[in-house]
Amino acid sequence: MAIIITDECINCGACEPECPNNAIYEGGDNWAVSEGTKVSGEFIRLNGDKVDASDTLEAISEEFYYIVPDKCTECKGFHDEPQCASVCPVDCCVDDPDIVETEEELLHKQSLLHN
């Protein structure tokens, strides 16, 4: 599963620098697949949409930090546990029940983002 940040987020920013995929953004900040990854050219998002990796995409949240599910690998391939959850002082980085991915799928995504 991808990790989400709940609306209990206090906007402390502790999670953002811990993400090895650069999947965490401050509320209101736009994002791109290419930021913090080696992806270039066409990228197929989890919803099936095709985008250019350098395209600027709209913020998922305007109010608090958010995690881009297309870039979240639960830190698989880097760490034993999601680093955002391990540093969050209010425990608002939790599994997203709407996006269930196997460890194999997460490792494949990690490979796509960084190889």
Side-chain angles (χ1 to χ4, degrees), residues 3-109:
I3 305 294
I4 59 170
I5 298 175
T6 67
D7 59 5
E8 295 164 356
C9 176
I10 59 172
N11 286 316
C12 71
C15 57
E16 185 179 20
E18 299 302 319
C19 182
N21 299 308
N22 198 51
I24 302 175
Y25 293 83
E26 188 171 354
D29 285 356
N30 294 333
W31 65 279
V33 175
S34 63
E35 294 172 339
T37 72
K38 293 184 178 181
V39 179
S40 63
E42 184 178 88
F43 182 83
I44 301 173
R45 298 188 57 201
L46 292 174
N47 65 8
D49 289 351
K50 294 178 183 179
V51 297
D52 187 281
S54 62
D55 284 352
T56 300
L57 303 170
E58 286 189 33
I60 294 172
S61 172
E62 294 293 325
E63 300 172 31
F64 48 85
Y65 279 83
Y66 66 91
I67 299 173
V68 175
D70 294 287
K71 296 173 73 174
C72 179
T73 64
E74 294 182 34
C75 294
K76 297 291 184 195
F78 295 104
H79 305 286
D80 293 333
E81 64 182 353
Q83 297 301 288
C84 57
S86 70
V87 300
C88 181
V90 293
D91 297 324
C92 68
C93 297
V94 298
D95 291 339
D96 184 346
D98 294 332
I99 302 177
V100 178
E101 297 170 287
T102 66
E103 183 169 350
E104 182 178 279
E105 290 170 322
L106 292 168
L107 288 170
H108 177 70
K109 187 191 308 183

